[in-house]
Amino acid sequence: MARYRVGLETRERILAATRRLLSEVGIEGVTLKAITDQAKVGAGSFYNLFDSKDDAVFEVVREAVEAVDPDPAGAGTDSLEDLVDAFVAFMTGSSPIARIYLQLAGRGLTDTGIAVRVLRSHRRRVERFTDAWQREDPTLSEREAQQRAETMLAALTGLGMTTLMDPGFDMRTHAMRLLPDSALVRGA
Amino acid sequence: MARYRVGLETRERILAATRRLLSEVGIEGVTLKAITDQAKVGAGSFYNLFDSKDDAVFEVVREAVEAVDPDPAGAGTDSLEDLVDAFVAFMTGSSPIARIYLQLAGRGLTDTGIAVRVLRSHRRRVERFTDAWQREDPTLSEREAQQRAETMLAALTGLGMTTLMDPGFDMRTHAMRLLPDSALVRGA
DNA sequence: TACATATTGGAGCGTCCACTCCAGTTTTGC
DNA sequence: GCAAAACTGGAGTGGACGCTCCAATATGTA
C-alpha cells in the first residue's frame, strides 16, 4: 500500500493513534473519526493505507499479543513458569490491550474471520506451552504434553477473564497452582 | 412494569422473539426492529415493558444460563462430574446461547454494568463447584475447595471458548481431565 | 524538469439503530 | 358502566458510523 516515505510515516501515526485509543477508551471507543482525529489525518489518507478500520485494530492487537512472549526468538529456553508468569503479567499489567485481546476472542465466537486469527495465535501459544511441558518432563508423550498445554492455557484464559472483571481477584496465586510443582494440571 | 394480563403476555412474546433471534442470528443480529417485528409488537409496546433492548437480552441469557444447572433446586446432590458434564453439554450442545453468554462476558471486560451481572452468576457457580469439591473430599478446607472451584471454572470457560471457535476441538476429553479422579486440579 | 503515481483532507453519502412521543384503544377495579 | 391506568403501533427523531470520492498537492524517478 504505502510506497513513499510519507505514507509509511502516516501509517505509523495511525497505528500509534489506534494503539493509544484502544488503551484509553477501549474497543468501542475506537471509531474511524477518533483514529483520524488523533492521528491528525483525513479519512481518505486512512483508506489509502488500510483496507478497513478493523485492519488497523488487528495490527495493533497482533503486535501487542506477540510481545507477550518472554522469548520471541523461540530459542526454547523458557520454562513453564516463565510462560505462565508472562501470561499473568499480560493480564494483570497496566496495558489494557489484554482486555481487547479477550474481547476480540469473544467476537471470534460469531465472526469466522476473527476466529481464524485468534485460533492461529492460540495454536502458536499451545506449541510453546507443549514444548515447555516436554522440557519439564521429557518422559511425556507429545499428545499428553499437548493436552496439558491446552488445559493450562484454557485455565489461564478463564482466570484472565475473571481477573479483568474482578480487580480483587488474585490471578497470580491461582495461576501458579497450575504449575507442575503444584501438581495441578498433571494428567491421569 | 407489566400489570395487566395482556402486558404480561406481550412481555413473554418479546422474550420468546429475543430468544429465537439470539439463537438464529446471534447477538449482533438482535436489533430492536428485529425483536418487535418477530414479536409482532410496536416499539412503544416494547418500551412500555422493558427499559432497554439489553434488558430483554440479559433476561433471556440469564434464563438460559440458569438452566445449565443440573440441580436448580440446589439440593446439594450433584457431583463434580455432573457439574462439569452440564457445563460441557451447554458449550457443545446445540443451543447457541452459550456463545452469547461468553460474548457478553467479553463485553463485561469493558462494560462495568455487564461485568456486575456476569460476576454475579460466576460467583453462584463457584459456590456450586466449591460445595461439590467438599462433598467429594470432606477434608478440604473451604479456602482450598474454593480455589479449586475457581480454577476448574476458569479452565472450563477457556476450553469453552476454544471449542466454540474450533469445532474440531474435543472439549469433553479435556474437561474430564479436570476431575479429581484424573488428579488435575488437585492442589499442592 | 517533467511525468506518473502516491498521498492528502474532509465534505458528504448511505445506512443503521436505539429510543421517544402520542393519540387512540383496551383492560381492570370499583 | 365508568374512570383511571395500562397498553398499543409506528412514524419520527437524532445521532453515530464506516466508507467513498475527488480535486489538490507532494513525492520519487528518469
Side-chain angles (χ1 to χ4, degrees), chain A residues 99 103 109 123 184 186, chain B residues 99 109-110 166 184 186:
Chain A
R99 279 167 206 274
Q103 276 182 305
L109 301 177
R123 295 236 173 78
L184 293 168
R186 227 191 326 272
Chain B
R99 276 169 207 273
L109 299 177
T110 48
D166 178 3
L184 292 169
R186 224 187 333 268

Side-chain angles (χ1 to χ4, degrees), chain A residues 143-144 147-149 151 184-188, chain B residues 171-185:
Chain A
R143 182 188 162 79
E144 175 62 23
Q147 287 212 342
R148 290 190 190 183
T151 303
L184 293 168
V185 192
R186 227 191 326 272
Chain B
M171 178 174 181
R172 177 153 259 118
T173 298
H174 282 85
M176 286 309 159
R177 289 171 54 93
L178 296 169
L179 289 171
D181 290 348
S182 307
L184 292 169
V185 192

Side-chain angles (χ1 to χ4, degrees), chain A residues 83-96:
Chain A
L83 290 172
V84 170
D85 212 62
F87 198 99
V88 172
F90 180 51
M91 286 297 164
T92 60
S94 55
S95 164

Side-chain angles (χ1 to χ4, degrees), chain A residues 149-175:
Chain A
E150 194 81 61
T151 303
M152 195 170 212
L153 257 175
L156 285 173
T157 304
L159 290 174
M161 294 190 68
T162 302
T163 205
L164 286 182
M165 276 186 277
D166 177 1
F169 186 74
D170 180 2
M171 179 176 182
R172 177 153 259 118
T173 298
H174 282 85

